[in-house]
């Protein structure tokens, strides 16, 4: 049987630990996607170094070199298409995307967000979760739509908020879950097991355990 892996471009702006979890997962011979390109809008993003060492192609499209958002995005889009990218994963990519770019990759672009969406869109999610006194926090992988930190949810993982938590401690536990669920979500999407139906994602052949803290299961 022939097995073709989806070609994935990962967009980063910094540390790139989620990108790293994707690169590591894609090493498995049966993983349905390969990381074809890591693209950063920041030339000295720490994650680029890791990708290079792994032999993954990297490129920088510096947003500051463009006069407006759309020409920056056109350059990114051309780079991705030029490398034959089929799926885009935003992994700590800290630029807002225009509806034009989102439309080019509709149904083919994922994002990871450090909160249980639709709660805590935007920045400083861990500090805000603590301020609000929520008892459960977590992370979400979702398809990207023009609205920020919205779009059909593929996978979520929950963590308990502890009495003496700090944003840093809580964030570290959430990040550990991010590293589990991003590869899981990419796996589901790349092999066509997660499909968008309206505002929701239908996962083929999976049934949740009633007390699951990661859904669908890792
Ligand atoms: C991650 O926690 C990711 O969820 C978050 O930025 C961090 C990037 O870390 N993304 C957002 O807040 C997007 N709204 P990483 O560079 O180590 O993957």
């Amino acid at each position: 049987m022939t097995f073709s892996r989806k070609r994935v471009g990962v967009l980063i702006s910094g540390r790139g630990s989620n990108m790293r979890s994707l690169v590591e997962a894609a090493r498995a011979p049966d993983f349905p996607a390969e990381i074809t390109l890591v693209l950063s809008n920041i030339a000295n993003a720490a994650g680029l170094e890791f990708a290079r060492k792994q032999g993954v192609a990297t490129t920088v499209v510096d947003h500051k070199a463009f006069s407006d958002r759309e020409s920056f995005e056109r350059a990114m889009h051309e780079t991705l298409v030029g490398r034959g990218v089929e799926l885009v994963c935003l992994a700590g990519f800290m630029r807002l995307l225009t509806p034009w770019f989102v439309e080019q990759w509709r149904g083919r672009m994922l994002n990871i967000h450090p909160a249980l969406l639709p709660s805590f869109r935007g920045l400083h999610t861990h500090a805000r979760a603590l301020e609000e006194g929520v008892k459960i926090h977590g992370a979400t992988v979702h398809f990207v739509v023009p609205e920020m930190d919205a779009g059909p949810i593929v996978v979520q993982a929950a963590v308990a908020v502890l009495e003496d938590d700090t944003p840093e401690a809580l964030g570290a536990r959430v990040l550990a879950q991010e590293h589990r669920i991003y590869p899981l979500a990419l796996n589901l999407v790349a092999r066509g097991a997660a499909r968008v139906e309206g505002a929701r994602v239908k996962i083929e052949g999976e049934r949740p355990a009633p007390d699951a803290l990661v859904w669908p299961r890792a």
Side-chain angles (χ1 to χ4, degrees):
M1 200 176 83
T2 55
F3 171 73
S4 98
R5 293 159 173 254
K6 285 267 188 281
R7 294 170 65 83
V8 175
V10 184
L11 272 51
I12 66 169
S13 296
R15 178 178 58 180
S17 72
N18 277 291
M19 173 273 293
R20 183 180 185 137
S21 76
L22 296 174
V23 168
E24 283 168 354
R27 282 198 200 121
D30 60 348
F31 197 79
E34 60 180 284
I35 310 306
T36 304
L37 180 68
V38 172
L39 184 156
S40 174
N41 64 310
I42 305 282
N44 61 359
L48 288 173
E49 183 62 21
F50 168 81
R52 282 188 205 115
K53 281 195 180 137
Q54 299 296 306
V56 177
T58 63
T59 191
V60 173
V61 182
D62 181 353
H63 61 276
K64 293 195 293 297
F66 297 87
S67 56
D68 58 75
R69 205 178 278 274
E70 196 152 326
S71 47
F72 160 62
E73 291 183 350
R74 280 189 190 279
M76 281 203 303
H77 181 64
E78 277 163 26
T79 303
L80 293 166
V81 171
R83 303 286 181 112
V85 165
E86 298 165 284
L87 288 173
V88 171
C89 288
L90 306 179
F93 184 71
M94 299 315 243
R95 304 293 301 170
L96 289 177
L97 295 168
T98 67
W100 176 81
F101 187 85
V102 172
E103 205 48 54
Q104 305 310 305
W105 294 95
R106 184 179 276 275
R108 302 187 298 144
M109 181 157 61
L110 297 172
N111 180 44
I112 187 150
H113 183 73
L116 288 173
L117 292 174
S119 291
F120 306 117
R121 292 173 175 163
L123 297 175
H124 312 301
T125 55
H126 312 310
R128 287 160 55 213
L130 291 177
E131 267 161 38
E132 293 289 344
V134 298
K135 300 297 188 200
I136 302 282
H137 185 45
T140 303
V141 180
H142 63 97
F143 281 98
V144 177
V145 296
E147 193 185 338
M148 186 190 70
D149 297 331
I153 291 170
V154 185
V155 186
Q156 289 186 308
V159 303
V161 177
L162 307 178
E163 284 304 317
D164 54 356
D165 254 334
T166 61
E168 293 71 29
L170 178 57
R173 295 202 309 288
V174 170
L175 189 64
Q177 294 303 321
E178 293 184 41
H179 297 160
R180 290 177 74 193
I181 66 173
Y182 215 170
L184 170 61
L186 178 58
N187 187 328
L188 290 166
V189 170
R191 65 185 161 87
R195 283 198 323 276
V196 179
E197 284 187 10
R200 301 171 60 164
V201 172
K202 187 133 191 204
I203 309 287
E204 222 166 63
E206 297 265 355
R207 294 286 174 275
D211 57 354
L213 284 180
V214 177
W215 176 247
R217 271 170 291 203

